[in-house]
Structures are given as C-alpha cells and as structure tokens.
Amino acid sequence: MTSQDYSPFAHLTVPNSALYRQVMRAFLDAKERFAVHLRPEDVFAALDADARPGDVEAVVTALDRLVGWGNLRADPDHARVTAVEDFYRRRFIYQLTRAGEAAEAALGTYDATLGRRGELQAVALRDIVTQLRALLVIAQEDEPDPAKAYIALSVLTARFTDLADNARAFMGSLQRTIDLHDIQVEGFLAYKDRLIQYLERFIQDLITLGGRIALLIGELEEQGRVAPLLALAAGREAADAAPEEAERAEAMAYERWAARWSGLAQWFVSEEGRESQARLLRGRALGAIPQLLAVVRQLNERRAGRSDRSADFRTLARWFAQAPDDETRHRLWRVAFGLHSSRHLTVDADTLAERAAVPEPAATPWAKARPLRISPQLRRTGSYERRGRPRRVADRGEAKRRLAELAARQTAEARQARDRLVTGGPVRLSRLGELDPLAFQLFLRLLGDALATWRPGMRTTTATGSDGSMEIRLTALDDGTTAEVRTLDGVFSGPDHLIDIIDLTTTGTGEGR
C-alpha cells in the first residue's frame, strides 16, 4: 500500500485539525439519524457553539479540504436551483465516503482503547467455570450436540477474551496510577482504600476460581475430550462455506479454535519452566498493593513538607545560580558531591603539610605536576593488603542433610494432616472429632478460605487452599445445631455445617469426582 491510501487521516496533522474532527463527527451523528447528505449550513449548525467558526465560508473550506483527502464526497446541489444563474453558483451537498467512515471508526477505536482503564472481572471467572462444566456435560454425551458445543465454546472464549483484555488494561492503568502520572493527590488518597479492597477481593477470587478452572481444563484434556469438541465447533462454523471450500474452511476453523483453547489453557495452567498468566497476574496484583501504600507514604511526606531528593537538587541548583563566582561554584560542587582531583587518594600528613606550604593548583597538567610517591607493593599488586592462604571451604554436608531431614519430616506431617482432614464426602462439622495442632491449623486455613468467599444469601460455597492442594465445600444447615472441634489447646465451636474436604493432589479427585 502507498501513502496515498492513508490520505483520509491527513486532517489529523494539519492546522485546524480540531475543526476537521468536529465536521466529521457531525457527519457521523447525521448517519446515525439516517441522514445521508448535509449542506454546509447543516454542518455549521451542528458544530459546538464555542468552537464554531465565524461564518459558513470557513466550514465550506473545511468541507472542500476533506473532499480532497477522500473523507467526503461532494455532489452538485440541484434542489435549490430556481433560476438559470443558479447553475453557475458553487453549491454542493456532502456525504461520507467509505474511506472517511472507516477512518472515523479507526479513530473511535483508538480513542476508546486509549481511555480504557479496564477492570478485574471476577464474574468472568465464574462464567468460565460454568462454561467448562457445561463442556464436560456435553462431552459425556454419546452424540454431543454441535450447536451446544459451539455455543459453549463461543461464550467461553468471549468471556476469556474479555477477562484477559480487561485485566491487561487495568494493570496498565494501575501502573500509571502508581507512577503518579496524571494524578490528583486528594483524589488518589480517597481512591486508594477502595482500590486496595478491589485488588484483595479479586486476588481471593482468582485463587479460589483459578484453581478450579485449572482442574476443569486438566480433566477435559486428560480424558481427550477437547479435540472432538473443537472439531464439532469448527464443523458448525464452516457449515455455510461453499462446497469446494468446505474442507479448507473447516480446517482453518479448527486451527482457530485450537489456538483459542491453547491460550485459555496457558492462561490458567502452569507448566514446567513457565508460570501461567493467572499466577503472574496474581503476583502483579499482590505487588501493586505495597507499591500503592508506598505512593501514599510519599504523598503524605510531600504534603507534610518533608524534603526529598528532587527538592534537594532544586535547592542545590538555586545555590549554584546564586553563587557569586566560579571559584565558589567549584567549592560548592566539591562539598556537595565529594569529587576531587585523584591526587587526594594518596594524601597523608606529610603531603598535607607540603601542599599547605606550596599549594598545587587543580588545573596543573599531570606532566608538569610534582610526582607522587606510591608504594612498590601497590604498584606491583594493586593492593596494600598482603595475600595469605585462602580460607578453607566449609563442609556443609551435615547441615544440608539436617535440612533435608527437616523438609522430609515437615512434608510427611503435612501429608498426615491432609489425610486426617479428608472427609470422603459431605459430613457434619461436628463429626470431625479431635484434631492434632498441625491438622487444626490446616483446617482453620481452609475454613478461612471458604468463609472469605461467603456472600450474603449464599447457602453453599467452594474454595481452594492457597497452595492449591485441597478443596473445601461448605454448606449451611438450618437446624441451629452447634459443632465442637476439640484440640490440645481447647475447644473450637460454632454453627454446624456440612463440610466436604477433598485432597486435590490425589489422582481421581476434583471437580468431576
């Protein structure tokens, strides 16, 4: 393509570009009202009153320039011809060209994308879980319905695309907020509490729902159900293709669906040597919270009048500007930065006395300056220190063995605690029995993860532990009974619930069990 193909964008970089943009917006607004042609008077009336030119002739000039760039088309206006002399007058009506409309659509997309802040969509995570479960149900049918598979995959990819795009836009706008670009101090201080709560809530949802999504993706891929579902969706998408293009269209559609599924899987499932995008997003969001707090501290320090490095440098610059002569400025430079001639490296008491008696100007060339006495050892080795025998390398084998034993013992204890908590199905909380300290700590963490996802009006909830090894399903009861869990440190009591604790590290357990 040549540069002439982009001439409809030329009005953006010329004088009066604001007027050209308003004129084009007037044509777009008219198009939405199903008005095809506009006269110069119509365009003049549609412009904003505060930015409108003084007369219609300025609008006519702008319209003619836009016609020359290909944004508009001008046609003779015969409707207002009432006499022969009117044919000799220059009267036109204008309408959008395809190139002008495409240019405005591109500019609208640019403006929308540039101003987009994005959002962290916890609802999209729940929708993805719902669609993955629907795909599991469809895949278990003897003859899966292509329409159901296509709709479920379409909704799944649309929600995932929205989630990824919005998360990327949100984290970009959040980083700009952290960097203090285009920020009002008062607004930021009032906004930061809500922002931190928003981040914490999304991080909790990403931990609980992200692990569940990864398990559902793994269950679909392990059972080999993904490829048939993608083939059904590709076949339905290519159903209307021409007979001679049907096979090629279906193959291309399958490649697109396979790429979408691969992107979804890589977003939520980590592999060896590669962390998932969900884990990276969680790390970015977690890291943003202390960065926001650091910004708050910095803003508070500025408001309290405390100096910072930039203020120090500005003060020093004023001192340099106010210095009466260059000698004072050189002295100020040496005091501020401690940078002197390299001769001071070997200054001792005798040298100081000699320099005081006969000063050596700093501008003296090396060839004409008095020589400096340097130790032969420094000349030979580059160091005053005497080299001796190197230290013996410490044998840390015993310490490593003890650490390995400690890690193995802790792993075994954690394994026993998980085995103790696994219920094998829904049971009452009051039937858990007595728990040892390690199992009780693990139980409290799981219970806290479940209660963190509890919302008003909910009767049941499911949560995954922070390390992704266990899942807890909690259901409220209406009988008003109280549960007691005994430990060595005392008795833990509260309203009784149905509880189902699952070990996700054991083969064959998870969402589909």
Side-chain angles (χ1 to χ4, degrees), residues 64-292:
D64 292 340
R65 295 289 302 276
L66 290 169
V67 170
W69 289 320
N71 301 80
L72 300 176
R73 192 183 79 187
D75 297 315
D77 187 5
H78 299 304
R80 293 187 294 177
V81 175
T82 58
V84 175
E85 56 269 16
D86 289 339
F87 279 101
Y88 297 97
R89 295 179 181 176
R90 190 171 177 270
R91 298 177 182 272
F92 293 99
I93 55 177
Y94 301 87
Q95 70 176 32
L96 277 172
T97 62
R98 292 181 59 187
E101 186 175 353
E104 289 303 309
L107 292 173
T109 302
Y110 174 81
D111 292 337
T113 303
L114 190 64
R116 181 182 182 185
R117 289 188 59 86
E119 56 189 6
L120 300 176
Q121 297 177 312
V123 176
L125 292 171
R126 297 185 178 89
D127 292 343
I128 291 173
V129 172
T130 301
Q131 295 305 319
L132 288 173
R133 286 175 174 168
L135 287 174
L136 275 174
V137 174
I138 295 172
Q140 290 173 356
E141 298 176 355
D142 295 335
E143 295 184 0
D145 188 347
K148 293 181 180 179
Y150 178 79
I151 293 174
L153 284 170
S154 297
V155 175
L156 175 65
T157 53
R159 297 301 287 150
F160 166 67
T161 302
D162 289 342
L163 171 68
D165 292 344
N166 278 282
R168 182 168 57 250
F170 178 83
M171 295 310 296
S173 62
L174 176 62
Q175 189 60 49
R176 289 192 294 273
T177 301
I178 293 173
D179 293 339
L180 299 180
H181 293 312
D182 301 328
I183 186 172
Q184 297 295 330
V185 174
E186 298 296 338
F188 177 78
L189 294 177
Y191 173 62
K192 57 96 177 175
D193 289 333
R194 298 194 302 272
L195 181 59
I196 291 176
Q197 292 175 4
Y198 182 69
L199 288 172
E200 290 175 342
R201 184 168 63 252
F202 177 77
I203 291 168
Q204 181 63 44
D205 290 334
L206 187 61
I207 291 174
T208 56
L209 298 176
R212 201 178 308 171
I213 291 172
L215 288 173
L216 289 170
I217 292 175
E219 189 171 350
L220 280 167
E221 291 183 343
E222 288 175 0
Q223 299 177 7
R225 296 171 174 172
V226 176
L229 291 174
L230 298 181
L232 289 175
R236 182 173 177 79
E237 184 175 329
D240 295 331
E244 63 275 9
E245 295 289 333
E247 184 176 352
R248 179 173 174 271
E250 184 172 353
M252 293 178 63
Y254 182 84
E255 290 181 2
R256 288 194 297 270
W257 282 110
R260 295 167 186 167
W261 179 266
S262 176
L264 173 68
Q266 291 179 2
W267 214 88
F268 287 101
V269 181
S270 300
E271 296 178 357
E272 185 177 357
R274 181 191 63 80
E275 287 189 331
S276 66
Q277 292 297 318
R279 185 180 294 274
L280 294 176
L281 175 61
R282 185 174 66 188
R284 285 280 306 279
L286 284 171
I289 294 177
Q291 291 180 14
L292 285 170

Side-chain angles (χ1 to χ4, degrees), residues 234-473:
R236 182 173 177 79
E237 184 175 329
D240 295 331
E244 63 275 9
E245 295 289 333
E247 184 176 352
R248 179 173 174 271
E250 184 172 353
M252 293 178 63
Y254 182 84
E255 290 181 2
R256 288 194 297 270
W257 282 110
R260 295 167 186 167
W261 179 266
S262 176
L264 173 68
Q266 291 179 2
W267 214 88
F268 287 101
V269 181
S270 300
E271 296 178 357
E272 185 177 357
R274 181 191 63 80
E275 287 189 331
S276 66
Q277 292 297 318
R279 185 180 294 274
L280 294 176
L281 175 61
R282 185 174 66 188
R284 285 280 306 279
L286 284 171
I289 294 177
Q291 291 180 14
L292 285 170
L293 296 177
V295 171
V296 172
R297 288 194 298 269
Q298 183 179 355
L299 291 176
N300 287 330
E301 290 177 357
R302 290 184 181 179
R303 296 174 72 191
R306 295 181 59 181
S307 62
D308 55 10
R309 181 170 297 179
S310 60
D312 293 340
F313 280 125
R314 287 194 296 268
T315 302
L316 183 61
R318 285 194 297 270
W319 291 351
F320 273 108
Q322 296 169 359
D325 50 37
D326 288 343
E327 183 179 355
T328 305
R329 295 187 186 96
H330 283 298
R331 188 165 64 252
L332 178 60
W333 169 270
R334 289 192 293 271
V335 171
F337 299 102
L339 299 177
H340 305 272
S341 170
S342 59
R343 295 187 183 90
H344 77 283
L345 295 176
T346 56
V347 170
D348 52 17
D350 296 336
T351 307
L352 286 176
E354 183 180 357
R355 289 290 187 267
V358 184
E360 185 77 56
T364 303
W366 285 100
K368 298 180 179 180
R370 286 171 292 172
L372 297 175
R373 293 181 175 82
I374 299 177
S375 168
Q377 181 180 349
L378 178 62
R379 177 189 291 272
R380 184 176 61 256
T381 64
S383 174
Y384 282 114
E385 297 180 358
R386 294 184 178 180
R387 300 185 179 276
R389 297 180 57 186
R391 295 182 179 180
R392 298 182 58 184
V393 178
D395 184 6
R396 306 189 184 276
E398 182 63 22
K400 292 181 179 180
R401 185 187 62 78
R402 289 198 301 269
L403 289 176
E405 292 177 354
L406 178 61
R409 184 168 68 253
Q410 291 176 346
T411 302
E413 292 174 351
R415 175 78 265 172
Q416 292 175 1
R418 288 199 297 269
D419 293 341
R420 172 63 182 85
L421 292 179
V422 171
T423 58
V427 298
R428 282 181 172 267
L429 184 59
S430 55
R431 297 186 59 186
L432 276 182
E434 186 174 350
L435 298 178
D436 60 79
L438 189 59
F440 182 65
Q441 291 177 8
L442 179 58
F443 166 72
L444 286 181
R445 288 198 297 270
L446 288 173
L447 187 61
D449 292 335
L451 295 178
T453 64
W454 200 276
R455 300 291 184 270
M458 293 179 61
R459 302 295 303 167
T460 184
T461 186
T462 303
T464 305
S466 58
D467 60 353
S469 64
M470 303 198 74
E471 181 179 274
I472 180 172
R473 299 175 182 176

